[in-house]
Each structure stands twice: as C-alpha cells, then as structure tokens.
Amino acid sequence: MTFGSVVIMPNLSANSTELLSMTEPPLFRGHFQTEDTVVHDSNFTALIAVSAKPEVIESSRINVEPLSEVMRRLELGSAHIHNFRLAARNARNMNGKLELLEKTVSGDGLDLANALKGSNMIVSVPMKPVKIRDRPKNLNHTGRLEDFTNQDILDLIVFYNNDFGIVLEDDEEARRKKLLVFLTGSEELKQ
C-alpha cells in the first residue's frame, strides 16, 4: 500500500524536485519520491508526494486524503476563483450580457426547483449529469437579465443546485433580481 501527501500552492514556475525540497518537512526528507506527480491548473499547483513507508506518515500525524478528494477540492477551488472573476465582470456589465458561472455544488436541484415552480411550469430533468466547473449550455436566452424567464431560472436552479434565495411567493422580477445577486456576487443588490 502506498501513502501520500499533497501540497497545494499558488502556481509556481518550479519543477517537482524544487517543489519537494521547498515543501518537504525535514522529517520526510528521503522518504518521498516524485514521479510526474505535479498537477497544474491555471490557478494552483499540487505536488503529490508518495511514500512506501506508512510509518513515516503515521508518526507525523498528517491527514492523508485520497487523490480523488484532493482533485475534487482543486476543481472546486478553481471554479470559485473563476466565478469570482466572472461575477466581477457581470457586476460591471449588469445591463448587458451576463455570463453564467461555473457549477460549484454537486448534485442537481430538482427538489429545489419543484418547490418553487408555478402551476404552469415544468422542471426539466438534466439529460446527463453535470460536474463541478460545468457551465449551462442549453439555455435559450440572450444573457440579458430581463430576458430570463421563470422557466430559465428554474432550469438554472436545477443546474446549480442552488435556489438563489428565491421563495415560492417571489414574482418573476424578484426572481430575476435574486439571480442577478448570484451572478454578480453583489450583496448590495439584496436590499
């Protein structure tokens, strides 16, 4: 069985050996090997150090996470950073075309959308599962806030697994305003 440790840091221009020497505590020196174990993303670099000596890791009391969990957290962090940039751009362009954010909550929002639908609305079941960092593709809209219908907003609730703070009593204009808060990250719009 192989054990490992993951170090996540902002992007650096260093190779895996330099990263290991910068991040490896003295206790681990000589116990870890790196073999193509640097994962790059536009925002993060993850060094995955692998050890065949579990006693080294157990004696140091570090929390070892499965690689899939680390990669999920990297994806989620990248989505949040990208969404921050998109929301800032949307806040500067509220009267123009709004860009849809990346998904950051796993699962679908079918239950949320069903609780908010009107009597003449249909909640669409996603054709295929969506993943973290996906963006909605099949909405028939211009991206302008006033063009989002109740149906579009329900579809986004299902996609994002987020109700945007909408309650059943909200009319279409109130729903659009809450969607705008989500797309811009602007808390001032809530008042």
Side-chain angles (χ1 to χ4, degrees):
M1 181 189 241
T2 306
F3 292 82
S5 174
V6 176
V7 178
I8 300 172
M9 59 190 71
N11 264 341
L12 302 171
S13 58
N15 67 37
S16 61
T17 307
E18 290 167 339
L19 278 172
L20 184 58
S21 65
M22 289 175 9
T23 60
E24 182 183 25
L27 172 67
F28 300 131
R29 231 163 250 127
H31 293 284
F32 288 112
Q33 305 128 0
T34 56
E35 298 171 7
D36 299 322
T37 55
V38 177
V39 178
H40 295 284
D41 177 279
S42 60
N43 302 303
F44 297 103
T45 297
L47 169 67
I48 302 151
V50 179
S51 173
K53 299 180 179 182
E55 65 278 1
V56 172
I57 292 174
E58 288 168 13
S59 68
S60 69
R61 299 180 190 203
I62 58 174
N63 183 16
V64 179
E65 295 180 281
L67 181 58
S68 60
E69 174 62 17
V70 171
M71 295 309 294
R72 186 195 67 76
R73 288 185 24 206
L74 274 174
E75 286 292 310
L76 186 59
S78 292
H80 281 294
I81 289 170
H82 193 238
N83 283 349
F84 180 78
R85 292 177 183 147
L86 287 171
R89 209 169 19 230
N90 284 340
R92 290 188 302 269
N93 190 32
M94 283 192 266
N95 295 323
K97 182 175 175 35
L98 298 169
E99 295 185 61
L100 298 175
L101 307 181
E102 293 181 357
K103 182 175 177 68
T104 59
V105 178
S106 60
D108 64 53
L110 283 171
D111 292 337
L112 297 171
N114 277 319
L116 297 172
K117 72 176 184 163
S119 57
N120 62 345
M121 287 188 253
I122 299 169
V123 175
S124 305
V125 177
M127 295 301 280
K128 63 179 184 169
V130 291
K131 304 178 305 249
I132 300 296
R133 296 210 67 189
D134 283 351
R135 290 173 72 181
K137 294 180 175 84
N138 297 328
L139 283 179
N140 295 322
H141 69 88
T142 63
R144 297 180 58 83
L145 185 64
E146 62 270 10
D147 294 336
F148 280 95
T149 65
N150 272 326
Q151 189 63 56
D152 291 332
I153 295 170
L154 279 179
D155 291 343
L156 289 173
I157 289 170
V158 170
F159 180 85
Y160 287 114
N161 194 12
N162 185 332
D163 64 12
F164 316 124
I166 295 171
V167 295
L168 185 59
E169 295 76 28
D170 285 342
D171 63 11
E172 195 168 54
E173 191 57 37
R175 290 173 183 227
R176 282 189 194 122
K177 186 174 179 182
K178 289 177 179 181
L179 176 62
L180 183 63
V181 168
F182 172 76
L183 293 175
T184 62
S186 178
E187 292 295 317
E188 292 107 33
L189 293 173
K190 283 187 176 180
Q191 285 89 25

